[in-house]
Amino acid sequence: MTTNDYDRVRLGIEAMTAYVSGDNLMTKYMMERAESDGNLDQVADGVTGLCALLLRQLAEMTGKQELEILQEIARGLNRTEQREQ
């Protein structure tokens, strides 16, 4: 992974850490990032980079193709949405 990829993923980890830590921390984090960067494009890019890395690792761990994993996630979300309705 290049330094640029490392920085992207590190930013994604920061954002997701704020997300799993609770709504107040995530809101504060996003406001601070928006103030310092002028927009949230870098945060979105970082989270995308993190998701891509996690998807690759999951594919390697399970022996499944990345597309297959994404389809399983989509089906799981669909089932959850149907149960909630």
Side-chain angles (χ1 to χ4, degrees), residues 1-68:
M1 193 169 357
T2 67
T3 302
N4 187 31
D5 287 341
Y6 175 82
D7 290 340
R8 288 177 63 215
V9 171
R10 192 182 76 213
L11 179 58
I13 291 169
E14 283 179 11
M16 293 309 297
T17 300
Y19 175 78
V20 299
S21 296
D23 288 338
N24 292 337
L25 186 56
M26 184 63 178
T27 300
K28 181 180 177 190
Y29 174 80
M30 296 300 269
M31 288 174 48
E32 288 173 357
R33 290 299 303 198
E35 288 175 13
S36 68
D37 297 343
N39 63 47
L40 297 174
D41 290 348
Q42 289 181 340
V43 173
D45 184 58
V47 172
T48 300
L50 174 61
C51 288
L53 176 63
L54 292 173
L55 180 60
R56 274 187 246 125
Q57 288 180 341
L58 188 57
E60 288 178 14
M61 290 170 39
T62 63
K64 296 179 181 179
Q65 293 182 350
E66 293 168 356
L67 183 58
E68 184 180 0

